[in-house]
Each structure stands twice: as C-alpha cells, then as structure tokens.
Amino acid sequence: MIRVEWLYWLVGLVFVVMAVQMAKDRTNPKRWTSAAFWGLLGLTFPYGTGVTGTEGFTLPAQPLGVAVLALIVLAGFNFIGKGVPVTTTGQEREASAAKLGNKLFVPALTIPLVAIVCASLLDDSGLFETGKATLIGLGVGCVAALIVGMLVTGERKLSVPLHSGRSMLESMGAALLLPQLLSVLGSIFALAGVGTQVGDLVNDVLPDGSKYAAVLAYCLGMFLFTVIMGNAFAAFPVMTAAIGWPVLIQQMHGNEVAVLAIGMLAGFSGTLCTPMAANFNIVPASLLELKDQYGPIKAQLPTALALLGCNIVFMAVFAV
C-alpha cells in the first residue's frame, strides 16, 4: 500500500535537494540563510510524521515548534534571497517552444489525468492508503509529468528541472507557505471560539427571523474575513460557526450543501481582492515582472464584487 506520508517525504526531499543547490549558488547574496529556510522546511515533513505517530513511533513535538519559529524569523527578517539560475537564453527558449509547439502542454495535462485515473479507478484497489487516492494520485501525476516533460524536451539531466524548480521557488519565496498557514489559522480561530463570539455579536444586531439580513451577514462576513485572512478556507470555519450553521441552517432550515457551497464561493470573491492571498495575487505579479504588484487585484475587483452580489442573490433565493 502506498501511503500519503511517502508523498510528504518526497516533497521534503525536493526542498532539501534545492536547499543544497541554493547553498552552492554564489550568485545568491543570502545563499546560506535561504538554504537554511528551505532545508529546514524540507526536514519538517518527515519529522512531522514522527510527531503524529502514524508510522508506529513518536518523536517530541518541541523541535518541530522550534523549527517553525526559525522559519518565521528567517522569512520575517527577509533572510531569503534569490540567485541567478543556470539556464538557457531567452532566444533558445523561444526556439525550443516554436519547435515543440503544443507538445509543451502534455506534461501539464499529465498531472490531472493521472490524478483522475488514480481517484476514479484505483481508489478501492488496495494500492493506495484508504481515502487518500486523490492526493496520492496528484503526487504520482507530478512525478509522471516530470518524466514526460523530460522525454518531450529531450532533457537527460534531472538537475536541469530541479534548477528550474528552484528558480521558481526562490521567486515565490515564503509566500508559498501562506495558504497552508492561513488555513491552519482558521482552524485555530474555530477552536478558540472566535466563531461563537462573532455569532453572538451578529445575533445582537440581526433582526429576528430576517432571512435576507442573515444571508447578507454570512456572505459579507465570508468576503471580509477572507480579505483580512487571505484564504477562504481560513474564514470558512469562523463564519460558518457564527452564522452559516446556527442561523441559516438550524434556525432557518436552509439547504446545507447550498448554503455552505455558496458561502465558500462568497469567500473566494474576497480572495480576488486581497494582497494577503499572495499566492494568487502577489506572486503572479512578481513572476510576470509586472510594474504594478497590485495589478492583478485591480483587474479582478469588478469580477469579485459582481460574483459576491450573485452569491448573495443565489443564497437568498435558492438556498434558504
């Protein structure tokens, strides 16, 4: 049986290998601290498995906590730099792209194709850990896409795609971890009772039995909390515990699936409007070298507000 932990170990190994590459890159003025950040992050993956005890042994959690604090210091004080990758020239890449044409899309399409096959055909085969076929399939798809990409381009050295991946990793920086951190923050808020407190405040001002006011409060709350926290997954447990579940579903007998799905989509509207969603809005601007780093947000605002309005109407008419 292939376990999902093996996928995490592979991800950690990739980070460690790229950290070694960074340490050797003298063009990066912060090569040692950059290598420390990504290498330390890579080591947390296998160590985290030991902390959870899922492999039959248990490791103390304190070193993992120290590692997280060290990552915060390295990222917070801007100790993560970027080197100059050894790669082909722009003219060489243009010539290669013209020669390969649409074949360049084959590696990218390999990832979802393999993931779908694993999730739909191999879920009950006993090959994968129970309930993890989709996630494991995504990892298998990435490995398959790497192999396909090397075959399509005729590349024979594994170090070449690793250097290319390292270059993108350095361009994205610590923002790569923001979605995971924000989703964990939402869980912490939920466990701390923030949703209950927000619900008490909202109930004090909401008109009794007003469906439209409750729908407006839930959708706007998802939107605003997502803007603040940068991730709809972080806002969802807070606003659902405050309004979505107790008011719209339990009190007003709304359709559970529709209320929660539309509520999440209202949160995604906020994702389009916030720099806190760095992986969606700031990192692409950096990778594309846009003059205005907030350009994607400005372009997305009209769509986001229109989408939010539609979600409010749909929830009021069809969900509650």
Side-chain angles (χ1 to χ4, degrees):
M1 178 185 294
I2 299 176
R3 298 177 56 82
V4 71
E5 291 295 330
W6 299 357
L7 172 60
Y8 298 146
W9 296 350
L10 177 60
V11 173
L13 176 61
V14 171
F15 281 136
V16 171
V17 171
M18 290 183 176
V20 174
Q21 290 179 334
M22 293 176 193
K24 296 180 179 180
D25 185 2
R26 297 184 180 276
T27 65
N28 185 348
K30 302 175 182 178
R31 59 182 179 131
W32 294 114
T33 49
S34 296
F37 179 88
W38 295 109
L40 194 59
L41 176 64
L43 293 175
T44 62
F45 282 80
Y47 193 89
T49 300
V51 172
T52 61
T54 55
E55 295 297 318
F57 60 92
T58 303
L59 297 174
Q62 290 82 354
L64 190 60
V66 172
V68 172
L69 294 176
L71 293 175
I72 293 172
V73 171
L74 290 170
F77 287 94
N78 196 28
F79 287 137
I80 305 175
K82 179 181 178 181
V84 179
V86 179
T87 182
T88 55
T89 64
Q91 292 80 1
E92 290 174 332
R93 288 193 292 272
E94 289 179 4
S96 178
K99 178 181 177 181
L100 294 172
N102 291 332
K103 292 180 180 179
L104 289 172
F105 293 101
V106 175
L109 295 175
T110 301
I111 299 176
L113 177 61
V114 173
I116 291 172
V117 170
C118 292
S120 58
L121 301 180
L122 301 177
D123 192 14
D124 299 324
S125 65
L127 180 63
F128 299 138
E129 181 180 350
T130 304
K132 303 295 184 180
T134 302
L135 184 57
I136 296 174
L138 179 63
V140 174
C142 291
V143 175
L146 172 62
I147 297 173
V148 170
M150 294 181 68
L151 292 175
V152 168
T153 59
E155 182 57 59
R156 295 294 179 264
K157 295 181 179 179
L158 183 59
S159 60
V160 173
L162 284 174
H163 277 294
S164 298
R166 173 177 66 89
S167 177
M168 180 169 290
L169 192 68
E170 290 178 333
S171 297
M172 297 179 68
L176 178 71
L177 306 181
L178 194 57
Q180 290 80 4
L181 296 176
L182 292 173
S183 62
V184 172
L185 180 62
S187 301
I188 293 174
F189 276 14
L191 292 173
V194 175
T196 303
Q197 296 301 318
V198 173
D200 293 340
L201 293 173
V202 172
N203 287 330
D204 290 340
V205 298
L206 274 180
D208 291 337
S210 175
K211 176 182 76 172
Y212 299 108
V215 168
L216 189 64
Y218 182 47
C219 290
L220 285 178
M222 280 294 301
F223 178 84
L224 294 175
F225 262 75
T226 300
V227 169
I228 294 171
M229 303 172 74
N231 193 311
F233 291 102
F236 184 76
V238 176
M239 293 309 303
T240 300
I243 305 173
W245 187 264
V247 179
L248 294 175
I249 294 175
Q250 291 187 325
Q251 293 182 20
M252 300 183 178
H253 307 290
N255 183 289
E256 298 177 11
V257 175
V259 167
L260 300 181
I262 297 174
M264 179 64 82
L265 192 55
F268 290 157
S269 303
T271 303
L272 301 175
C273 304
T274 174
M276 288 295 292
N279 56 315
F280 287 103
N281 301 326
I282 303 301
V283 169
S286 175
L287 292 177
L288 296 174
E289 299 180 353
L290 300 182
K291 294 181 179 179
D292 184 1
Q293 65 173 335
Y294 299 112
I297 296 177
K298 294 175 182 177
Q300 292 164 178
L301 272 174
T303 301
L305 296 177
L307 183 60
L308 175 62
C310 291
N311 288 327
I312 294 173
V313 173
F314 287 161
M315 184 177 292
V317 175
F318 300 110
V320 182

